[in-house]
Amino acid sequence: MKTLMEIIKSRKSIRAYQDKPLPKQVVKDILEAAKYAPTARNMQELAYRVVTNKDLMDKLSKGIAEALQKEGLPLKGPPGVRPSFFYGAPLLILVIAPKDNNWAATDAALAVQNILLYATSIDLGACFIGMARFIEKDKELCKLVNIPDSRTIAAAVICGYPAENPEPREKKQTAEFFE
Ligand SMILES: Cc1cc2nc3c(=O)[nH]c(=O)nc-3n(C[C@H](O)[C@H](O)[C@H](O)COP(=O)(O)O)c2cc1C
């Protein structure tokens, strides 16, 4: 069994996935890992939108691309052959929170980190998808994933069986010690 430090050090963003769904129990376990993250003042106001429907994921990805284009922001990849923002993953989890929760982004990031580490521990790939916040720009898409006006997409993560094994990215550390 891997130690926690080994899991932390072996986690890396995976951006290619096998076309294979995750068993329901695995999805439940992933959400269970998220549930145990700390939240500011123990408010526990995060909610999850769990997307496994491929057509819906495609719609959401296209919506992100359109929102980026409208705002004049660059799209990655060669024109016309841009890959999905979800890289073909079988699972997308949107972490939503009330817009009036000042700690939403922090709470959500901690929940996603739990997911990333848990996924790594069971040899799944995963990746934080910050771009998913652009889904909010399209009210119709929000309806499709049941995000009311009062809530924001605070973070998002994809997960699945990896179809790549990239080199771990170099990590830097800046620390000053006051002893
Ligand atoms: C807040 C945040 C937003 C991110 N958004 C995206 C994203 O939209 N798409 C993507 O491919 N990766 C995204 N990433 C993954 C980072 O690019 C990745 O963590 C970084 O390049 C370091 O690589 P590693 O995760 O393999 O260590 C995001 C990561 C964070 C923390």
Side-chain angles (χ1 to χ4, degrees):
M1 207 165 114
K2 287 183 251 183
T3 66
L4 180 56
M5 186 59 101
E6 285 167 342
I7 294 164
I8 289 170
K9 288 188 173 178
S10 60
R11 184 216 55 80
K12 51 193 176 184
S13 292
I14 296 298
R15 297 188 177 88
Y17 291 87
Q18 295 172 40
D19 185 14
K20 188 174 153 190
L22 291 169
K24 194 100 191 185
Q25 186 56 49
V26 171
V27 176
K28 284 184 183 167
D29 291 343
I30 286 168
L31 292 168
E32 187 76 354
K35 187 171 95 181
Y36 279 82
T39 58
R41 295 169 54 215
N42 199 23
M43 296 283 277
Q44 302 193 41
E45 289 188 324
L46 300 177
Y48 299 88
R49 299 292 182 259
V50 183
V51 184
T52 52
N53 181 298
K54 280 186 189 181
D55 291 340
L56 181 52
M57 262 197 244
D58 283 348
K59 273 188 197 156
L60 296 174
S61 180
K62 282 190 187 121
I64 296 172
E66 281 166 19
L68 287 173
Q69 258 160 349
K70 267 188 204 154
E71 302 210 358
L73 296 168
L75 290 175
K76 271 192 195 165
V81 281
R82 180 182 38 77
S84 163
F85 285 96
F86 311 128
Y87 307 106
L91 172 67
L92 163 68
I93 299 176
L94 303 173
V95 187
I96 65 168
K99 282 184 178 157
D100 63 3
N101 183 327
N102 290 331
W103 294 103
T106 310
D107 287 353
L110 287 164
V112 168
Q113 178 71 343
N114 270 17
I115 291 174
L116 297 175
L117 294 178
Y118 179 67
T120 305
S121 78
I122 56 170
D123 296 325
L124 292 179
C127 185
F128 199 119
I129 303 294
M131 298 308 274
R133 68 160 69 152
F134 283 91
I135 292 168
E136 263 180 37
K137 302 278 177 187
D138 186 328
K139 294 295 155 213
E140 290 307 310
L141 286 182
C142 287
K143 272 189 207 155
L144 288 180
V145 280
N146 191 22
I147 302 174
D149 274 351
S150 58
R151 287 185 172 250
T152 186
I153 299 172
V157 59
I158 52 170
C159 209
Y161 298 102
E164 66 165 6
N165 186 16
E167 284 298 311
R169 283 92 196 180
E170 189 200 335
K171 299 295 172 188
K172 304 169 191 165
Q173 186 170 65
T174 309
E176 286 184 35
F177 295 87
F178 301 89
E179 290 169 343

